[in-house]
Amino acid sequence: MLQELILDKFADGYIKALDVTLGESPASIVEKKGRQMPQKEADRPFPFLSYIENGVEVKYYYQLNQSNEPVIDTIELIFPQKKEWIKYRQLQKIWQPDEPEDLEFYIERMDNGIYSFAEFDKKNHQLKRMLIKKFTE
């Protein structure tokens, strides 16, 4: 799943690794993935659906679009730290091949109007969180 996420260019907002298109309805996510995990964060300002997929906690955040329909606009992936995923420099070489090594603990990229953000643990440099968000004009 992670390798697919890293290499995906998100054409038409489709995220292959999750079989989800940004902009689709929360109901279609539930239809595809079944019942969600109970939400622990009921006081969050934005509603979301939460699942465990391939050992990763995945949250599908949704908001109302111009037609007042709920649509998925952001996906957050939380990677458990008990497993090694990918280190900062490894991902930087893939997403930013021309950039010199630096001491940042996050990497950003934009592909086909989709913003990706990867955050890393400051001690072991392992991936800990990723956001994928559709930008609309």
Side-chain angles (χ1 to χ4, degrees):
M1 174 175 94
L2 181 58
Q3 189 69 17
E4 255 187 316
L5 278 171
I6 290 169
L7 299 176
D8 198 347
K9 298 292 183 194
F10 310 123
D12 298 320
Y14 182 68
I15 300 157
K16 285 183 239 166
L18 301 172
D19 187 26
V20 168
T21 302
L22 291 171
E24 82 179 80
S25 74
S28 72
I29 302 287
V30 171
E31 219 172 271
K32 284 184 202 176
K33 300 182 183 285
R35 288 186 47 195
Q36 67 169 328
M37 292 181 1
Q39 292 185 14
K40 301 171 286 227
E41 306 168 58
D43 59 342
R44 292 291 295 240
F46 299 106
F48 63 89
L49 300 171
S50 183
Y51 296 90
I52 298 292
E53 299 183 36
N54 296 309
V56 175
E57 184 177 0
V58 183
K59 294 180 181 180
Y60 298 92
Y61 291 90
Y62 54 94
Q63 296 187 48
L64 297 179
N65 64 11
Q66 294 90 347
S67 306
N68 243 4
E69 301 287 325
V71 294
I72 303 297
D73 76 332
T74 303
I75 298 172
E76 178 181 28
L77 299 101
I78 300 164
F79 296 86
Q81 293 301 288
K82 60 185 175 245
K83 180 180 175 190
E84 286 192 14
W85 298 97
I86 188 169
K87 290 197 177 234
Y88 173 80
R89 183 62 180 147
Q90 292 171 294
L91 185 58
Q92 186 186 33
K93 286 178 181 179
I94 296 167
W95 279 7
Q96 302 170 334
D98 301 330
E99 293 290 318
E101 185 169 0
D102 58 32
L103 296 174
E104 296 291 331
F105 295 100
Y106 67 91
I107 301 174
E108 299 173 291
R109 76 171 178 165
M110 184 73 92
D111 280 304
N112 293 313
I114 307 296
Y115 169 77
S116 301
F117 173 87
E119 181 182 357
F120 295 81
D121 184 91
K122 290 180 178 159
K123 291 180 183 153
N124 65 16
H125 301 245
Q126 282 292 328
L127 179 65
K128 70 178 191 182
R129 188 171 79 105
M130 188 180 281
L131 282 177
I132 302 168
K133 180 170 182 53
K134 183 173 189 172
F135 274 90
T136 54
E137 287 83 55

